[in-house]
């Protein structure tokens, strides 16, 4: 067969003492061909989470008729017994063919999403199904249990828990109150208000998860824009862009950074929490403050105010909400059918009223509110805190949840994942708030977003099984080796930075980062290459984090923001995000690249 796959299941009791390497040598036709396969070191904490670790490696052996001999050597730190089993599986196509199939599937998913042929959730599910079918055809069919294990349930639990918390929080009127206060702080000027919102979002995302930040900020921003008769789409896109930028500043702000500082080999190279955060924080501050003028240039010709009066805009949004509510009712009984008919009749009546208002409407576009003080007084009377007791309960629970997020980041020994913290917080608030109608809360959960992430996790892992991510890493290493030695470090920084940014805008940056770390470590340890590992890792982190702004599905926060906006009737498409996000990604990556080159090539930092 053209390809040969090896699987090494390893089990306790002393697996974390394995210091690697684990090598496999292949010999056929009496000619020894050495293929080195290094098993990553397993920590005790990791083995407590996954009692069986099964790394795998594909080897292309060509059209071989003679038997293949395999030799395994393992080096341990002591004489403890480590259970080790090995299985092999013949694949029917070469690695290059697998990569081509993975590329076609990924392109097909993007076509479905870009041109909005189907909903992005259905596109992710269809893509994952196609990738699983491809794995079955080449002879690497995963079991249903394996596919279910590919889903990152911690992320789904985090999303679900925070959705429930925000749904209950919105009942207090707190988001309306915050919107009025932000308008007052900006003294009625739109752009200072947008800059304040983006800056706060970037600062919070440096210490909180990006998804959590956007789930808290999106309802506030939407209500603020409704109050000021602004189009929320452009403001939300600006916020989520700066959330992704701010998340790159610290070791806990973005998942790729967490993966990097958790790697034991990199810690031995001097990349720990403090050194990583110190270096990245300085670079991201430079990126952040140069991004505001560029954002203003991108929005120069965009009309942030709605072209109709606020009464017409609110009526249109009310019609959309009533129609969505009617469509969500499943007429299983006669009463539900009657309710659905009443809602549709209300939609028709509102549409008739809208047509009358449009006929008598004289267009008045205001680019700056001159009577902002009078408007603030009117808004403060209209938008108040509606339930102060519930607000105290919500603030208390959310404060504890956020504190636990921080504690989990800085004290990992508590062994409490973010998903568990969010779920426990949601359950606690449900008990304190004494919610009687649980169905109302469940209706506010973005089930389509949760399904999209589940499909995306399966799709990305299946593409990894098709060798797409490994292929990108190997080709990057080959390009770096081909560069002359005097220019190798500069070219390596540029290449790793842009490959990471472009790859992270198209595929999930978590598996890409996890794959690239051992590639870069091996590259730095190669005597023929002679490159320090720190500049390569910092280039990987900068590109993987900033690349999430390239497309709508490049970062989890983008998808969450789009899902919440869609639920409120202000959904934005893939192309609407791409027109603003991709230029911002190019600009921020250019600034980040200049920072990397100036510090590592010019000043010789972290060498």
């Amino acid at each position: 067969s053209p390809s040969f796959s090896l699987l090494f299941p390893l089990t306790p009791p002393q697996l974390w003492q394995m210091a690697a390497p684990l090598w496999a040598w292949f010999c056929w036709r009496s000619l020894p061909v050495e293929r080195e396969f290094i098993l990553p070191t397993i920590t005790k904490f990791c083995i407590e989470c996954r009692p069986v670790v099964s790394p795998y490696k594909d080897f292309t052996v060509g059209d071989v008729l003679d038997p293949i001999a395999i030799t395994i050597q393992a080096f341990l730190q002591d004489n403890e017994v480590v259970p080790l089993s090995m299985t092999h599986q013949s694949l029917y196509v070469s690695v290059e063919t697998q990569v081509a199939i993975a590329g076609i599937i990924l392109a097909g998913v993007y076509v479905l999403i870009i041109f909005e042929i189907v909903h992005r959730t259905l596109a992710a599910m269809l893509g994952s199904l196609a990738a699983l079918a491809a794995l079955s055809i080449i002879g690497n069919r995963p079991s249903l249990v394996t596919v279910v294990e590919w889903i990152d349930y911690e992320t789904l639990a985090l999303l679900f828990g925070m959705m429930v918390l925000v749904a209950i929080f919105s009942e207090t009127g707190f988001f309306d109150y915050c919107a009025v206060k932000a308008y007052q702080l900006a003294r009625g000027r739109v752009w200072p208000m947008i800059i304040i919102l983006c800056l706060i979002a970037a600062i919070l995302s440096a210490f909180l998860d990006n998804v959590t930040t956007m789930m808290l900020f999106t309802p506030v921003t939407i209500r603020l824009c409704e109050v000021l008769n602004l189009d929320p789409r452009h403001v939300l896109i600006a916020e989520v862009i700066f959330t992704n930028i701010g998340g790159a500043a610290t070791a806990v702000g973005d998942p790729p950074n967490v993966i990097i500082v958790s790697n034991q080999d990199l810690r031995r190279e001097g990349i720990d929490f403090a050194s990583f955060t110190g270096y990245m924080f300085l670079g991201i501050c430079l990126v952040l403050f140069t991004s505001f003028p560029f954002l203003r240039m991108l929005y120069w010709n965009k009309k942030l105010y709605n072209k109709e009066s606020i009464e017409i805009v609110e009526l249109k949004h009310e019609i959309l909400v009533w129609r969505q509510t009617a469509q969500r009712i499943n007429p299983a009984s006669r009463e539900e059918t009657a309710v659905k008919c009443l809602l549709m009749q209300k939609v028709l009546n509102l549409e008739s009223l809208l047509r009358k208002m449009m006929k008598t409407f004289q267009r008045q576009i205001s680019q700056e509110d001159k009577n902002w003080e009078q408007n603030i007084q009117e808004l403060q009377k209209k938008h108040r805190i509606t339930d102060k007791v519930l607000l105290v309960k919500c603030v208390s629970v959310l404060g504890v949840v956020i504190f636990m997020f921080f504690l989990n980041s800085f004290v990992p020994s508590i062994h409490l994942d973010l998903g568990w913290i969010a779920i426990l917080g949601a359950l606690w608030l449900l008990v304190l708030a004494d919610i009687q109608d649980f169905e109302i809360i469940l209706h506010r959960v973005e089930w389509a977003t949760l399904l999209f992430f589940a499909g995306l996790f399966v799709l990305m892992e299946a593409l990894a099984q098709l060798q797409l991510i490994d292929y990108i890493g190997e080709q990057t290493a080959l390009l770096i080796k081909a560069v002359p030695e005097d220019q190798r470090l500069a070219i390596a920084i540029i290449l790793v930075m842009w490959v990471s940014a472009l790859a992270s805008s198209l595929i999930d940056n978590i598996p890409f980062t996890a794959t690239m770390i051992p590639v870069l470590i091996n590259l730095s340890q190669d005597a023929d290459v002679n490159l320090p590992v720190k500049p390569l890792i910092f280039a990987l982190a900068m590109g993987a984090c900033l690349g999430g702004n390239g497309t709508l599905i490049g970062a989890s926060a983008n998808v969450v923001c789009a899902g919440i906006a869609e639920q409120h009737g202000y959904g934005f498409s893939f192309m609407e995000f791409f027109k603003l996000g991709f230029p911002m990604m190019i600009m921020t990556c250019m600034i980040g690249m200049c920072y990397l080159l100036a510090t590592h090539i010019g000043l010789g930092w972290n060498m």
Side-chain angles (χ1 to χ4, degrees):
S1 62
S3 297
F4 197 78
S5 180
L6 290 178
L7 180 66
F8 300 90
L10 297 165
T11 54
Q14 299 294 332
L15 176 58
W16 53 85
Q17 293 183 355
M18 175 171 286
L22 175 65
W23 287 318
W25 282 274
F26 297 86
C27 304
W28 60 84
R29 290 183 180 175
S30 301
L31 295 176
V33 179
E34 181 179 314
R35 302 295 180 90
E36 183 180 358
F37 174 34
I38 301 179
L39 179 70
T41 304
I42 309 298
T43 63
K44 184 174 182 179
F45 172 70
C46 180
I47 201 64
E48 291 175 353
C49 301
R50 291 188 66 185
V52 178
V53 180
S54 302
Y56 64 91
K57 184 70 174 179
D58 284 355
F59 298 100
T60 302
V61 297
D63 297 327
V64 179
L65 300 178
D66 297 334
I68 299 175
I70 302 174
T71 303
I72 305 295
Q73 286 190 352
F75 297 89
L76 308 181
Q77 289 182 346
D78 51 28
N79 295 324
E80 294 290 341
V81 176
V82 177
L84 168 65
S85 63
M86 183 190 72
T87 61
H88 73 277
Q89 185 175 13
S90 298
L91 305 179
Y92 302 119
V93 297
S94 63
V95 173
E96 289 74 14
T97 305
Q98 294 181 51
V99 172
I101 294 173
I104 293 172
I105 293 173
L106 186 62
V109 171
Y110 269 89
V111 168
L112 293 177
I113 295 177
I114 291 173
F115 296 101
E116 298 183 356
I117 300 174
V118 296
H119 193 274
R120 60 176 174 270
T121 302
L122 182 57
M125 296 173 69
L126 291 175
S128 60
L129 180 62
L132 292 174
L135 287 174
S136 301
I137 292 173
I138 68 173
N140 191 19
R141 177 184 175 183
S143 64
L144 180 60
V145 175
T146 302
V147 174
V148 172
E149 289 177 349
W150 289 349
I151 300 175
D152 187 354
Y153 290 101
E154 180 184 350
T155 300
L156 296 184
L158 172 65
L159 291 172
F160 177 79
M162 292 306 300
M163 286 175 182
V164 173
L165 286 172
V166 172
I168 300 175
F169 213 157
S170 62
E171 298 290 335
T172 64
F174 179 76
F175 295 142
D176 296 357
Y177 177 79
C178 289
V180 175
K181 285 299 179 182
Y183 181 52
Q184 183 179 8
L185 186 62
R187 301 179 63 84
R189 293 172 294 177
V190 174
W191 266 105
M193 181 193 67
I194 294 176
I195 292 175
I196 290 172
L197 290 174
C198 291
L199 188 60
I200 295 175
I203 294 173
L204 282 179
S205 63
F207 303 98
L208 287 178
D209 184 81
N210 294 1
V211 172
T212 304
T213 303
M214 285 313 302
M215 293 192 71
L216 295 175
F217 258 73
T218 303
V220 176
T221 303
I222 290 176
R223 195 67 196 104
L224 174 60
C225 293
E226 289 175 345
V227 167
L228 302 180
N229 195 25
L230 295 173
D231 188 351
R233 296 172 181 86
H234 299 310
V235 183
L236 288 174
I237 292 174
E239 280 184 3
V240 76
I241 287 173
F242 278 86
T243 297
N244 292 327
I245 294 174
T250 64
V252 297
D254 224 1
N257 296 356
V258 177
I259 295 173
I260 289 173
V261 297
S262 301
N263 189 278
Q264 298 297 326
D265 293 331
L266 294 180
R267 287 188 178 184
R268 284 192 287 268
E269 295 289 341
I271 302 178
D272 54 11
F273 183 93
S275 63
F276 183 88
T277 300
Y279 182 84
M280 292 294 292
F281 183 80
L282 184 60
I284 293 301
C285 285
L286 179 64
V287 171
L288 187 66
F289 290 110
T290 54
S291 298
F292 284 112
F294 189 74
L295 180 71
R296 187 69 181 91
M297 291 174 56
L298 287 177
Y299 280 61
W300 190 262
N301 293 322
K302 293 189 179 298
K303 305 297 183 182
L304 298 180
Y305 279 92
N306 290 305
K307 295 183 180 180
E308 295 90 1
S309 65
I310 189 171
E311 292 82 8
I312 293 178
V313 172
E314 290 181 349
L315 185 57
K316 285 184 176 181
H317 186 245
E318 184 180 357
I319 292 172
L320 178 62
V321 171
W322 281 115
R323 180 178 284 109
Q324 290 179 345
T325 304
Q327 291 173 351
R328 289 170 181 168
I329 294 179
N330 184 20
S333 64
R334 183 175 60 185
E335 291 79 7
E336 291 177 341
T337 304
V339 171
K340 186 170 185 177
C341 292
L342 288 174
L343 292 178
M344 292 306 299
Q345 184 61 44
K346 183 175 181 63
V347 170
L348 294 176
N349 294 336
L350 291 175
E351 287 179 342
S352 176
L353 177 61
L354 177 63
R355 286 193 292 268
K356 292 179 181 178
M357 293 179 64
M358 293 296 291
K359 289 180 181 179
T360 59
F361 171 65
Q362 299 293 328
R363 180 174 297 179
Q364 296 177 354
I365 303 176
S366 174
Q367 290 303 316
E368 186 167 318
D369 204 335
K370 303 298 183 181
N371 301 319
W372 65 274
E373 293 181 347
Q374 181 179 355
N375 288 341
I376 284 178
Q377 295 177 358
E378 296 176 358
L379 292 173
Q380 287 176 338
K381 294 178 182 179
K382 184 178 179 181
H383 303 287
R384 296 177 178 270
I385 302 295
T386 57
D387 193 336
K388 294 184 179 180
V389 176
L390 181 60
L391 176 63
V392 172
K393 296 177 180 178
C394 291
V395 170
S396 301
V397 173
L398 190 62
V400 172
V401 169
I402 293 176
F403 173 75
M404 291 300 295
F405 285 167
F406 279 105
L407 194 64
N408 179 75
S409 300
F410 296 102
V411 188
S413 58
I414 63 175
H415 299 302
L416 194 60
D417 295 330
L418 298 182
W420 271 113
I421 296 172
I423 291 291
L424 292 175
L427 293 175
W428 184 19
L429 186 57
L430 284 170
V431 173
L432 291 178
D434 192 20
I435 301 296
Q436 299 296 327
D437 193 351
F438 195 64
E439 294 288 337
I440 296 178
I441 302 300
L442 291 181
H443 282 156
R444 296 190 179 182
V445 174
E446 283 292 317
W447 297 108
T449 302
L450 296 178
L451 282 175
F452 173 79
F453 276 108
L456 192 65
F457 290 141
V458 175
L459 172 62
M460 292 305 161
E461 183 61 32
L463 295 180
Q465 296 281 340
L466 289 169
Q467 311 301 312
L468 177 63
I469 299 178
D470 287 337
Y471 183 81
I472 294 174
E474 291 171 359
Q475 294 302 311
T476 303
L478 290 175
L479 288 175
I480 293 174
K481 290 181 179 179
V483 177
E485 186 173 355
D486 57 338
Q487 304 173 357
R488 187 168 291 164
L489 180 57
I491 298 299
I493 291 174
I494 296 172
L495 195 59
V496 172
M497 170 83 183
W498 285 103
V499 169
S500 303
L502 295 175
S504 298
S505 65
L506 299 176
I507 59 178
D508 192 0
N509 57 10
I510 296 176
F512 178 80
T513 303
T515 303
M516 285 296 293
I517 287 175
V519 172
L520 296 180
I521 292 176
N522 293 338
L523 195 65
S524 65
Q525 294 174 349
D526 191 338
D528 297 331
V529 179
N530 192 25
L531 285 178
V533 69
K534 286 186 178 181
L536 304 181
I537 294 298
F538 287 132
L540 171 64
M542 194 80 72
C545 294
L546 298 180
N549 286 327
T551 64
L552 180 60
I553 63 176
S556 302
N558 306 355
V559 180
V560 170
C561 179
I564 298 176
E566 185 177 0
Q567 189 183 40
H568 286 78
Y570 300 106
F572 46 86
S573 65
F574 182 95
M575 291 306 299
E576 286 178 324
F577 185 92
F578 182 81
K579 291 177 182 177
L580 297 172
F582 194 78
M584 283 294 294
M585 183 204 80
I586 297 297
M587 193 280 300
T588 53
C589 286
M590 289 290 294
I591 300 297
M593 181 188 70
C594 294
Y595 172 73
L596 289 167
L597 293 176
T599 53
H600 293 296
I601 304 300
L603 301 178
W605 288 5
N606 298 317
M607 299 296 286

